[in-house]
Amino acid sequence: MPHPVQLIQPRRFGDSRGWFTEVYSKPAFATLGIDCCFIQDNHSLSVPKYTLRGLHFQTPPRGQDKLVRCIRGAIFDVAVDLRKGSPTYGQWVGAELSAENGHQLFIPIGFAHGFVTLQDNCEVTYKCSDTYAPDSDGGVRWDDPSVGIDWPMPAGTAPELSAKDAVQPLLANFDSPFLYDGRPLAPLA
């Protein structure tokens, strides 16, 4: 049974001109146990280093699977388990995604997602399995001590946050509508 959150490392084919990579193929992703249908692509630019976006999710019936990649600069991308009954509830995994390494993170429904930029002028694109639905929009505090994400920022650094992200609730105040599917969160390969 595949892990719910997966680090995808697309192969790059290079020559004197540069390189080519296939970032998404429905049949290839199906072999990884990822069979969602992506219907929306998002693209963000974060100008200052240590801009933090998250931790975000959409609740049922408008939950979103996400496939995230950094196409300019570098980010530390995080997923937090929000599935009620999960033995890994409230735990997180993270990975560096960069234009240089080409890695992607698949984050299924039932996980909060967020990232912090590690360089100035980072661009991030991500595919979503549903469109944005304001009535289903939710979040958890980026610095929730019960989650304890080890954001790679120098001690004492205050990240750039949106007004919304600065006041997200703590995980303890969230009644999760997401159900555990039998796949515990595992370290990323």
Side-chain angles (χ1 to χ4, degrees):
M1 181 180 288
H3 298 298
V5 177
Q6 296 184 50
L7 183 63
I8 312 294
Q9 300 174 359
R11 187 169 169 210
R12 288 182 172 172
F13 301 92
D15 61 25
S16 63
R17 301 167 296 164
W19 52 261
F20 169 84
T21 189
E22 187 175 85
V23 296
Y24 176 74
S25 161
K26 189 165 181 66
F29 274 61
T31 66
L32 301 173
I34 300 171
D35 61 358
C36 60
C37 177
F38 294 114
I39 63 169
Q40 178 175 309
D41 281 4
N42 297 330
H43 186 159
S44 70
L45 167 66
S46 299
V47 174
K49 183 177 182 178
Y50 304 127
T51 294
L52 197 147
R53 296 177 184 262
L55 301 163
H56 305 147
F57 55 85
Q58 283 191 183
T59 56
R62 301 296 303 275
Q64 291 179 317
D65 299 294
K66 295 178 181 176
L67 180 62
V68 183
R69 66 189 184 113
C70 182
I71 61 170
R72 180 176 169 201
I75 65 170
F76 184 68
D77 203 38
V78 172
V80 178
D81 191 347
L82 300 179
R83 300 167 301 158
K84 192 179 288 185
S86 171
T88 53
Y89 183 83
Q91 294 180 24
W92 66 276
V93 292
E96 184 173 316
L97 309 181
S98 69
E100 184 176 324
N101 70 24
H103 295 172
Q104 301 177 93
L105 196 61
F106 175 74
I107 303 156
I109 294 169
F111 289 81
H113 169 249
F115 65 85
V116 65
T117 60
L118 304 176
Q119 300 174 9
D120 291 332
N121 299 307
C122 288
E123 291 188 63
V124 174
T125 65
Y126 53 101
K127 295 183 163 308
C128 297
S129 63
D130 200 348
T131 57
Y132 176 64
D135 293 343
S136 296
D137 189 36
V140 174
R141 290 253 331 194
W142 69 275
D143 62 348
D144 187 324
S146 72
V147 178
I149 297 171
D150 186 14
W151 296 105
M153 297 184 292
T157 299
E160 283 288 324
L161 297 169
S162 70
K164 177 178 114 175
D165 288 345
V167 297
Q168 294 284 15
L170 296 173
L171 184 60
N173 299 326
F174 175 61
D175 183 19
S176 180
F178 303 109
L179 300 178
Y180 179 57
D181 61 3
R183 299 179 303 156
L185 186 61
L188 299 174

